[in-house]
Amino acid sequence: MSFLAAVQIQTFTEPAVLRYDGLRTSFRRMDKNDLRIAAIVLECGDTLVTRNTKDFQQIPGLQMVDWSK
């Protein structure tokens, strides 16, 4: 439970919406929800924890960690 206490939940803010719009233009084939997640992470300057590195690695500047390995 102490691990979850340190986890901060991010929201889909107006800057993230604008970032999403830009990503949507560049990555038409990528899932919209993945692009929303990427936009939020980029706007917050955070690191994405995911197993889906194949799709997310396409996005420049997105920091990610695969904890499944």
Side-chain angles (χ1 to χ4, degrees), residues 10 19 28 36 38-40 45 58 67-68:
Q10 303 294 355
R19 176 78 69 122
R28 288 264 179 223
R36 286 184 184 103
I40 292 167
Q58 301 174 54
W67 283 1
S68 68

Side-chain angles (χ1 to χ4, degrees), residues 48-60:
L48 175 65
V49 178
T50 182
R51 293 186 321 173
N52 185 10
T53 57
K54 179 182 173 190
D55 290 332
F56 285 111
Q57 70 185 1
Q58 301 174 54
I59 301 175

Side-chain angles (χ1 to χ4, degrees), residues 1 3-5 8 12-15 17 20 22-23 26 28 38 43 51 53-55 60-61 67:
M1 203 52 137
F3 170 76
L4 292 178
Q8 183 178 5
F12 199 39
T13 61
E14 184 66 27
V17 171
Y20 166 78
L23 290 173
S26 300
R28 288 264 179 223
E43 280 304 310
R51 293 186 321 173
T53 57
K54 179 182 173 190
D55 290 332
W67 283 1

Side-chain angles (χ1 to χ4, degrees), residues 4 7-8 11-12 20 29 33 35 44 51 55 62-63:
L4 292 178
V7 173
Q8 183 178 5
T11 59
F12 199 39
Y20 166 78
R29 300 183 135 209
N33 287 327
L35 291 175
C44 294
R51 293 186 321 173
D55 290 332
L62 183 66
Q63 300 293 321

